[in-house]
Every structure is written in structure tokens, then in C-alpha cells.
Amino acid sequence: MKNKIAICPGSFDPITNGHVDIIERASKIFDKIFIAVLENPDKESFFSLTERLRLVKSSVSHLKNIEVESFHGLLVEYARRVSAKAIIRGLRAVSDFEYEFQMALTNRKMDAELETIFFMTDHKYSYLSSSYVKQIAVLGGDIKDFVPPAVLKKLKGGKKQ
Ligand code: PNS
């Protein structure tokens, strides 16, 4: 049987429990998943690429069939490089739909062989976003229910690295 390889792309700035939940569920379906952390010099991120990679790696270290890499340029080209047949994305509320729909159709136009597969968020994480996590942390709120331990440790104190 052919290996089922997927990519799970994102900014992961930082990774949240919502991301981890989707990666865990997807890891049961695919033989191998590459988590593709976006390296985008045009978009300022809160955490550096090195730090985002470290936090993702540490948060999924309990999963055996996951590799974490950075990518730049077109996602479809990265997918071809790692022989992935699917892009995994999480869907929270209806408000995610338009952005995700546009991205999925654009990627499909560029590579008709590459499917985007959506995982519905667990209701526990339906409201969760990396942006709010950062905001709450910076303003001194408690984010322990929202992020993996490594991210919690990094964000404690609410300071930018
Ligand atoms: O976590 P995010 O920020 O919603 O992830 C967005 C991401 C990284 C999936 C998207 O920006 C992306 O794929 N960027 C790579 C550039 C690209 O391929 N663009 C064309 C498809 S829309």
C-alpha cells in the first residue's frame, strides 16, 4: 500500500492546543505528516521561526509519524517536494470558511492532485486562536488551558522573546 503523506501548514505563532488536537487526530489517518511552519520574511511574527519550530517540535514529540520543517514559497511546491497528497487544515467557526475556501481552491487550481482536507475543531477549542493567546499572555492573563506546556513556559511573564 502506498504511504499516505500529508502536510499540515501554518504560521504556528504559537502552536495552540487546538493545533495539537488536529495534528493528533490527523496522525491516526495518515502514515506521515509534515508540519510545515511558514517562514515569511514579509510578515512579522511574534516568535522567530527558530522558536516556532522548537515549540511545535516539543508539542508533538509524543507522536511518532510527524516531522516538523519550515517552508517558504508556494505551499504546493513544498507539498510536491515531500510527496504529500493532502493539505490538512482545521476549521473552527463559519468565519474561517471564506479564507480556507479561497486558499483551498487556489491551491487546487495550482495542483489538482493535491486535496485540502478539513478537520472540524473540537468544541473545546472552537474559540481558540494564536492571536488571542498572545494577547492574553501579554496582558498577564492565564493561558494554561490554551497552549502546550512548552508554549506556556515561553509565554509566562507575557514578554516577547
Ligand atoms: O496559520 P496560517 O497563517 O493561517 O497559515 C497560512 C498558510 C501558511 C497555510 C498560507 O499562508 C500559505 O500556504 N502560505 C504559503 C504561500 C502560498 O502557497 N500561497 C498561495 C496559497 S493561498
Side-chain angles (χ1 to χ4, degrees):
M1 199 174 97
K2 270 198 324 195
N3 270 358
K4 291 196 295 289
I5 302 173
I7 54 176
C8 182
S11 306
F12 299 103
D13 189 30
I15 188 167
T16 66
N17 287 342
H19 292 124
V20 174
D21 171 60
I22 285 175
I23 295 163
E24 282 172 349
R25 287 157 53 200
S27 78
K28 293 179 192 150
I29 294 173
F30 289 91
D31 296 312
K32 178 149 199 138
I33 297 175
F34 289 88
I35 303 185
V37 180
L38 179 69
E39 175 192 343
N40 185 356
D42 302 331
K43 189 176 157 194
E44 211 203 323
S45 56
F46 188 83
F47 289 113
S48 68
L49 177 64
T50 312
E51 198 59 7
R52 284 182 285 137
L53 281 165
R54 185 184 72 80
L55 294 172
V56 173
K57 280 180 189 161
S58 141
S59 308
V60 299
S61 60
H62 58 295
L63 301 169
K64 294 288 162 265
N65 54 345
I66 305 284
E67 265 192 51
V68 184
E69 295 187 336
S70 62
F71 84 102
H72 61 271
L74 284 178
L75 187 63
V76 290
E77 282 173 9
Y78 174 78
R80 274 185 215 126
R81 268 203 307 282
V82 297
S83 308
K85 295 283 172 264
I87 301 171
I88 293 163
R89 296 284 291 173
L91 264 187
R92 291 165 303 184
V94 180
S95 50
D96 279 346
F97 183 77
E98 205 168 320
Y99 169 64
E100 294 295 339
F101 183 67
Q102 191 176 14
M103 198 153 61
L105 263 54
T106 308
N107 284 328
R108 195 163 146 74
K109 172 71 185 158
M110 288 189 283
D111 187 342
E113 298 297 305
L114 190 61
E115 286 293 344
T116 301
I117 297 178
F118 294 102
F119 280 70
M120 213 53 80
T121 184
D122 189 288
H123 67 93
K124 289 201 293 289
Y125 307 122
S126 58
Y127 57 86
L128 194 53
S129 75
S130 298
S131 317
Y132 278 129
V133 163
K134 285 178 283 199
Q135 200 177 89
I136 294 166
V138 167
L139 296 173
D142 184 3
I143 53 161
K144 77 169 179 330
D145 291 341
F146 304 153
V147 292
V151 179
L152 180 65
K153 194 167 164 215
K154 185 74 198 170
L155 278 172
K156 251 192 177 159
K159 289 196 184 62
K160 193 175 164 164
Q161 57 171 350

